[in-house]
Structure formats: C-alpha cells, structure tokens
Amino acid sequence: MDRLANTIRPYAWGSTTAIPRLLGVEPTGEPQAEMWMGAHSGAPSRTARGPLDEVIAEAPEHELGNRTVARFGPRLPFLLKLLAAGAPLSLQVHPDRDQAREGYEDEESRGVPLDAPHRNYKDAHHKPELICALTEFDGLCGFRRPAEAADLLAGLGVDALEPYVDLLRARPEEAALREVLTAVLSADPKAMADTVTATATACTRLGGAYTPYAEIARAYPGDPGVIAALLLNHVRLHPGEALFLGAGIPHAYLNGLGVEIMANSDNVLRCGLTPKHVDVPELLRVVRFDAGAPRVLRPEASPAGEEVYETPAEEFRLSRYVLAEGAAPHDLTRATPQILLCTAGSVRAGDHKLTPGESVFVPAEEKAEVSGAGTLFRATVAV
C-alpha cells in the first residue's frame, strides 16, 4: 500500500483552524477548506511511485481490480476529502447520469471551453456524495414542506416575501417550490438585493430558527440564494452522523469538519450564495422539487467491527472502524481499491503508522491489516 501526500485546497469558505487542528499543526492563517485524497486530475494524491492518477493509468487492472475497471473504466471512481467549512458554501445541486451525459455532450457540441465560467458540465458523470461529521456540522439539505416554508417566510414580516408565501400556500407542493425558486432566481437583481437586506435584518432580529439564515446573509449580502436557502431544511449533524446527497437535491454546507466522499466528478449547478455563474434554466431542469425532512444516516455495525454508511451509490462505499488497543487486527483485504484515513488516535495499516489526517492507498486484492487505538475511515468501491 502507498502512503499518500495530499493537497489542501484554500477555498475562501474554508476554516483556518479545523484541518490544522486535526493534523496537529499550527494554522497558517489562510483558509484550508478541503484535503483531497484520490486520483482526481485537479489535485491527485502523491505517492512514492508518483502521482496516484499516473500510477493507476500505468496498470489500471492491477491497481483497481478487474471488477472496478469493467464497471467504471480505468479510473478511480471516487474522491475522498476532509472538508472544513468556516463559512457557507454555494447552494448547489448535482445532475443524474443522463443529465450529466446530455449536458456534457451538448456543451461539447457547442464548443464551450471546459474552463469557461459559464460551463456547467466538466465531465459526463454524475456526482452523488456523502458527508460524515467529525465535529458538529451544519448544512442545508432538501426542500422544506411548502407550508413550513411559508410559515418561516411569513414570520419574517417582510412585505416583499408575501407573494412567495401566497404561492407556497396556494399551489401543489412541487409546483409551489418550482414557481417560488424560479421567481427568486429570476427577479430583478436590485429589487432582490433590497429584499435580501430586509430579510437578513429580520433574521438577525428574530434569531432562533432564523439564525443560520442570518449568518448566510452576512456571508452573501444581497444574494438571492439567501431567500432560496429559506426554502431548505436546516440540519445539524453530530459527530458520526452523515447525509447522502443524491442527484437533484439542493444543499449547502455551512460550518464544521467532516469526511466527504463522492463520485469522481466536477459537475455542479449552483442556485446561489456564489459570485459564480447560475444557469437558471439548466438548474430547473436538474433540481428535484421533492419536499420533506432529510434522512440522517448513522453507521450500521457488522460483527467484524466495520460500521458502514449505506447509500445507493455504486462508485463509493464509506465505513469506519473504531479500533481498540490490543484487539486482534482487522483484515481489510478487498477486490476493489481502498483509501484508508485515520481521523483519531494512532492506527497501523500494514507497515504504515497513521495519525489523524494521514492516509494510504491500497490496491485491489492487496493484503490490508489494520490495528491500533483510533478511528479509521475506509473508502472503497461499492460494486
């Protein structure tokens, strides 16, 4: 197995302290948002044998196993991250397989450069993802019931929100959410900025359930995504709890440190809380206007000590081991590639000693025994 040296991405929304605290190093004062573990071309992990994407490209069947290559081609189908949000991320959705393929082929046929700021689809793949909290973790996930959203908006006492309240109460659920989101994102920017300012003032004054939205408004003054965010469920994850984000589910991470795993794709359509391009027609094609409380995942323990976060994704499978000093080693040998990440204590993986934030890549079928006293996350392929 290969010890990984991983890139930390300094996105502006990143926490300045969470990842350094986990790694046991001094903060630099700069935001440290994500640490990438995998073979994504944007920031592949480095090994003693070279960048992981090049290592895999040289011998995909050996590194990934025949099963993975047959299903996903000669590429590692998942990307593992440490994600540390110190401020809200953009409100976003991801396409399903068909939408991603159609959108990518359309933009390719029209000659839209891959690095164009208005490009929506960087590849032809979907991007399901899972976030597992290491600390208290706040996010937005999925639409509230329209009646609940109407009550929340009405409680602010902002006159400009009344048309949205009326729509949410008068129309069937899916139509109500679609019409209100469309109206918010298509409104005159100046009028909407004034509405957002009044909404932010009311959220700050009222506090309580409005507090997360007041913080969002402070981070993105005048952004219509602030109103869109009020349509979504606020959820707080406790350490060890997780959320699965499937295609079309609007979401945003607000604050906290977690382990994130996703299909290896860059496809994101933004709904707001960003200075980047928002393609409203394409967004409305992708968003699923299903309402209801998000399902918080808790790991399901097996007799072998593996705690699995069950999801429908084929590209990835995330689990964890809470290891006790002196216990028998766990044999993690598997026919698919793995990345093992320590998040607490001290863990031995093969010949490698891992402390928090350290990780290894395990090729398919390679012997993988782990022991020690700590917490180890295991990322692999589900099929």
Side-chain angles (χ1 to χ4, degrees):
M1 63 181 71
D2 299 275
R3 181 179 290 273
L4 299 179
N6 303 304
T7 297
I8 295 177
R9 294 322 243 329
Y11 306 136
W13 50 261
S15 167
T16 59
T17 58
I19 289 179
R21 186 182 300 119
L22 182 75
L23 298 177
V25 300
E26 286 296 316
T28 64
E30 299 297 319
Q32 298 189 25
E34 295 180 348
M35 185 171 79
W36 287 22
M37 291 158 279
H40 191 287
S41 59
S45 297
R46 302 173 299 282
T47 76
R49 296 187 286 157
L52 187 57
D53 57 341
E54 295 180 10
V55 169
I56 289 171
E58 289 174 2
E61 287 81 8
H62 172 74
E63 303 295 336
L64 305 177
N66 292 332
R67 184 191 307 175
T68 299
V69 173
R71 178 65 184 86
F72 302 107
R75 60 193 290 271
L76 187 67
F78 64 84
L79 176 64
L80 184 67
K81 299 179 181 180
L82 281 172
L83 184 147
L89 282 67
S90 63
L91 189 58
Q92 59 190 257
V93 296
H94 306 302
D96 64 25
R97 281 195 180 93
D98 290 341
Q99 291 164 341
R101 185 184 65 254
E102 293 165 3
Y104 179 77
E105 290 174 353
D106 172 65
E107 290 184 322
E108 285 289 280
S109 69
R110 291 190 286 116
V112 181
L114 273 176
D115 59 355
H118 62 285
R119 175 102 187 201
N120 292 315
Y121 297 95
K122 303 299 178 65
D123 54 65
H125 305 289
H126 70 159
K127 192 187 177 187
E129 62 188 40
L130 176 81
I131 184 74
C132 177
L134 294 179
T135 65
E136 298 289 315
F137 194 98
D138 286 288
L140 305 176
C141 180
F143 287 105
R144 298 176 183 272
R145 296 287 181 192
E148 296 173 8
D151 290 345
L152 194 70
L153 293 178
L156 290 166
V158 175
D159 291 343
L161 297 177
E162 286 305 314
Y164 306 140
V165 173
D166 293 341
L167 276 173
L168 290 166
R169 287 177 172 162
R171 303 284 283 141
E173 282 197 347
E174 182 175 337
L177 293 168
R178 178 181 290 276
E179 291 179 25
V180 171
L181 184 63
T182 302
V184 168
L185 297 182
S186 305
D188 174 74
K190 173 64 168 64
M192 180 51 67
D194 292 342
T195 301
V196 172
T197 298
T199 299
T201 300
C203 286
T204 301
R205 182 184 74 252
L206 293 168
Y210 295 102
T211 299
Y213 304 98
E215 294 171 354
I216 291 169
R218 279 194 289 274
Y220 297 96
D223 192 305
V226 173
I227 309 300
L230 283 156
L231 302 176
L232 305 186
N233 298 290
H234 172 247
V235 59
R236 171 164 290 178
L237 300 178
H238 302 296
E241 296 180 334
L243 283 175
F244 174 72
L245 291 313
I249 299 174
H251 61 279
Y253 303 143
L254 304 180
N255 188 273
L257 176 67
V259 174
E260 185 182 37
I261 188 168
M262 62 187 63
N264 196 355
S265 168
D266 278 336
N267 287 326
V268 174
L269 288 125
R270 294 174 177 85
C271 314
L273 310 183
T274 178
K276 295 181 180 179
H277 177 63
V278 176
D279 185 335
V280 175
E282 187 63 17
L283 173 70
L284 296 173
R285 187 178 81 93
V286 168
V287 171
R288 294 183 180 176
F289 291 93
D290 301 325
R295 178 176 169 237
V296 174
L297 299 179
R298 296 173 181 84
E300 299 181 15
S302 73
E306 184 179 26
E307 300 176 342
V308 181
Y309 293 90
E310 296 287 356
T311 79
E314 296 180 337
E315 290 85 355
F316 62 78
R317 176 181 183 272
L318 186 71
S319 62
R320 70 175 183 180
Y321 288 82
V322 180
L323 305 172
E325 189 69 52
H330 293 269
D331 185 355
L332 272 56
T333 308
R334 189 174 168 90
T336 53
Q338 305 178 71
I339 292 177
L340 307 179
L341 166 68
C342 176
T343 60
S346 177
V347 174
R348 181 160 290 279
D351 295 332
H352 300 278
K353 180 182 177 182
L354 304 180
T355 56
E358 295 184 325
S359 56
V360 293
F361 172 73
V362 186
E365 305 287 3
E366 182 165 319
K367 183 71 172 177
E369 279 195 348
V370 299
S371 60
T375 301
L376 186 78
F377 279 83
R378 180 195 205 188
T380 186
V381 181
V383 297

